[in-house]
Amino acid sequence: WSAKTIAVVTGANRGIGFEIARQLALHGLTVILTARDIAVGEEAARVLREGGLKVVFHQLDIVDHESIDSFCAWVKEKYGGIDVLINNAGISYNTGSDNSVEFAEKVIKTNYVGTKNMTKAAIPLMRPSAEGARVVLVSSRLGRLNGRRNRIGDVALRQQLQDVESLSEDLIDTTMNKFLEQVKDGSWISGGWPQNNTDYSLSKLAVNAYARLTARILSEKPEGERIYINCCCPGWVKTAMTGWAGLTSPEEGADTPAWLALLPNQSISGKFFAER
Ligand code: NDP
């Protein structure tokens, strides 16, 4: 890895994303720290640059198509492409044992649809290299398909989502839409959805499934043009998202995503990681 390696981190103005940006830059990469708010993003990048790191800011809001397009055009023009993409941006509206679905649409639109759209836009920009380009999706254990305590009740649907050969974007989208329809008519409570942080858990389940699906599609790329995509859980981290109630620091939370992005001799794709 060198300053010629271009890494993009979404939602990097604070929390785990800021730390991922710092850790990748400490490895000598050029990091493009992105944020939806220009002022806070520029300030975050300035702090890292003052520490001697190669960090550049660019605006990026993952739910805004124009923002994604203008970011991608800029990165192509300025750097010729991307080597590492960390999709970290995400939202949650529940802390502790609250389980409101008031913002379910927004949560799925950001965590799943935004992450998917950003990944789709970035893949054509991923540069061919001997190491292979890397995409990491910062997800959550709450989105595990077969988590013991927090999973979809419908066994047939779980099996469909688990079968990577038949898994499709349509199946993931249909599952999310079915949940959102039930949110609208109030039937979601008895709909057999995960019981803990329901909207957030489902959004991350979709992210995990999307990682497996995309890994399957990308596996057709020839040697030299390989792109590896994996997802991970940062742990329960003390950030704004958890109301600073987590167990670990953002530094520890960023460890697995940064490590996963830089794994040497990587041929692993479509997998879920936690604590390395
Ligand atoms: P924070 O709330 O501290 O940071 C979230 C970041 O995402 C912020 O920079 C936020 O920007 C950004 N963001 C939100 N929406 C958008 C958008 N539309 N476009 C671009 N950026 C956006 O949370 P964390 O650092 O804790 O979370 C980082 C990731 O880790 C998330 O994906 C989260 O789901 C995941 N995660 C976190 C856990 C934890 O315990 N903290 C546990 C498991 C997973 P802004 O400042 O403008 O709001």
Side-chain angles (χ1 to χ4, degrees), residues 10-17 35-37 40 60-63 87-91 110-111 138-141 200 204 232-242 246:
T10 70
N13 52 288
R14 68 179 193 196
I16 298 165
R36 51 184 169 177
D37 184 301
V40 295
L60 176 61
D61 182 336
I62 62 162
V63 298
N87 279 299
N88 162 79
I91 56 172
T110 304
N111 296 358
V138 180
S139 188
S140 170
R141 281 184 180 90
Y200 179 81
K204 295 298 193 180
C232 64
C233 179
W236 192 36
V237 187
K238 292 180 204 291
T239 63
M241 180 174 281
T242 56

Side-chain angles (χ1 to χ4, degrees), residues 4 9 21 39-40 48 86 88 98 113 141 145 154 156 160 167 178 182 209 238 246:
K4 287 184 185 152
V9 186
V40 295
L48 295 178
I86 315 270
N88 162 79
D98 304 343
V113 183
R141 281 184 180 90
L145 195 54
D154 181 342
Q160 274 182 296
L167 184 61
K178 186 174 162 199
Q182 292 189 6
K238 292 180 204 291

